[in-house]
Amino acid sequence: MTADALGPDRPPTAKRDRVRRHLLNVIEKAGPGTGLASERDLAQELGVSRPTVRAAIDELTRTGLLVRQRGRGTFTSPHKVTQELAGSAAGLGVPPAEGTWTSEVVAFTTAPASPPRAARLEIAPGAPVLRVTRVRYVDDEPIAIERLDLPAELVPGLAPADMEAGNFYRLLRERFGITVAEAEQTMEPAVTNPEQAELLDVPVYAPILQVERVTRDSGGRIVELTRSVYRGDRYRITSKLRFDADSG
């Protein structure tokens, strides 16, 4: 049965809602990363037009419940990498999240600090700053992009390979005698620009979590300014709350 056969008394929104309910039921029953039937097969099964199916899929893709993969089709959202929000120094460095984390350095440059960057790092304008951009992978899938600004004089001899393996804060402590002590971190939602979308293998304007962190050592010096973006469809943060008797 085609969409037209349903008659004028069935508005397009009602048809799309019916397709949406069907897809939500499929998502609930299927495991992460399960492929959907083709738009053509879904349209035939549900008795609606392909544009109606496409509109419902587009809606669920925007919310992160479905993922389109070029040349492969549409899939239920993969399992999300979960990280518990840590409030102590133990939570710094490589995110204590599930999966195997690896890194690939895509930029590694040193340049004089502009006045705004110098102010953020609390160093003199013109002092050399090392900027490292790396893509973080979980089980070989891109999950995040990190851009680190480091006062170059603190990390002489640091090489790209040093940023692709191991714990960076452990490296600071063991090679450079720098012990990180505290960090101030902010988080906000955003969407990918074209460069981020290419590195993360997602569409432009895909949802991301944007994180900025300023890290200080035990002497109060800023040793790192990091701006990171995490894929909204594959990453989530959880936290534990504790209440006393007077809460609420």
Side-chain angles (χ1 to χ4, degrees):
M1 182 184 298
T2 66
D4 294 337
L6 292 172
D9 59 328
R10 296 294 301 278
T13 53
K15 300 172 190 175
R16 188 170 66 187
D17 287 345
R18 184 157 57 86
V19 176
R20 184 176 182 274
R21 288 194 298 271
H22 172 81
L23 293 175
L24 286 173
N25 186 53
V26 171
I27 292 169
E28 183 178 356
K29 293 181 178 179
T34 300
L36 297 187
S38 68
E39 291 180 1
R40 178 179 179 179
D41 289 344
L42 285 170
Q44 184 174 1
E45 176 185 352
L46 299 173
V48 298
S49 67
R50 289 182 66 177
T52 298
V53 171
R54 188 174 302 117
I57 290 176
D58 287 344
E59 179 184 349
L60 295 175
T61 299
R62 287 192 296 271
T63 62
L65 293 175
L66 294 176
V67 178
R68 292 187 185 274
Q69 296 185 11
R70 296 190 190 98
R72 296 189 60 200
T74 303
F75 297 80
T76 60
S77 182
H79 175 66
K80 288 196 174 186
V81 176
T82 300
Q83 175 187 355
E84 184 175 343
L85 187 63
S88 66
L92 300 175
V94 176
E98 51 198 13
T100 300
W101 287 74
T102 56
S103 302
E104 177 189 5
V105 172
V106 295
F108 193 92
T109 59
T110 301
S114 63
R117 194 188 304 183
R120 292 297 309 276
L121 290 170
E122 298 180 359
I123 58 177
V129 173
L130 174 62
R131 171 165 288 182
V132 182
T133 303
R134 59 182 182 173
V135 179
R136 307 297 307 277
Y137 296 83
V138 175
D139 299 331
D140 298 323
E141 184 174 8
I143 295 295
I145 304 168
E146 288 185 348
R147 191 184 72 189
L148 301 87
D149 285 344
L150 312 165
E153 66 174 10
L154 298 182
V155 288
L158 187 70
D162 297 324
M163 304 296 294
E164 292 188 338
N167 184 301
F168 178 55
Y169 292 143
R170 183 178 299 117
L171 175 70
L172 286 179
R173 182 177 66 251
E174 294 177 353
R175 184 187 298 183
F176 302 106
I178 297 172
T179 301
V180 296
E182 62 180 16
E184 182 176 338
Q185 186 164 274
T186 61
M187 304 180 188
E188 59 182 329
V191 294
T192 55
N193 59 34
E195 180 184 3
Q196 293 167 337
E198 182 176 359
L199 289 174
L200 292 174
D201 194 24
V202 297
V204 178
Y205 305 125
I208 52 176
L209 178 65
Q210 188 169 271
V211 180
E212 181 172 299
R213 182 171 68 241
V214 178
T215 307
R216 296 179 183 270
D217 67 5
S218 54
R221 293 180 304 179
I222 293 178
V223 298
E224 170 199 49
L225 170 61
T226 301
R227 296 181 179 89
S228 307
V229 296
Y230 294 84
R231 282 176 52 172
D233 65 325
R234 293 299 319 277
Y235 191 82
R236 65 182 174 187
I237 291 177
T238 64
S239 61
K240 292 181 180 179
L241 305 177
R242 292 181 174 83
F243 301 93
D244 57 33
D246 297 325
S247 298

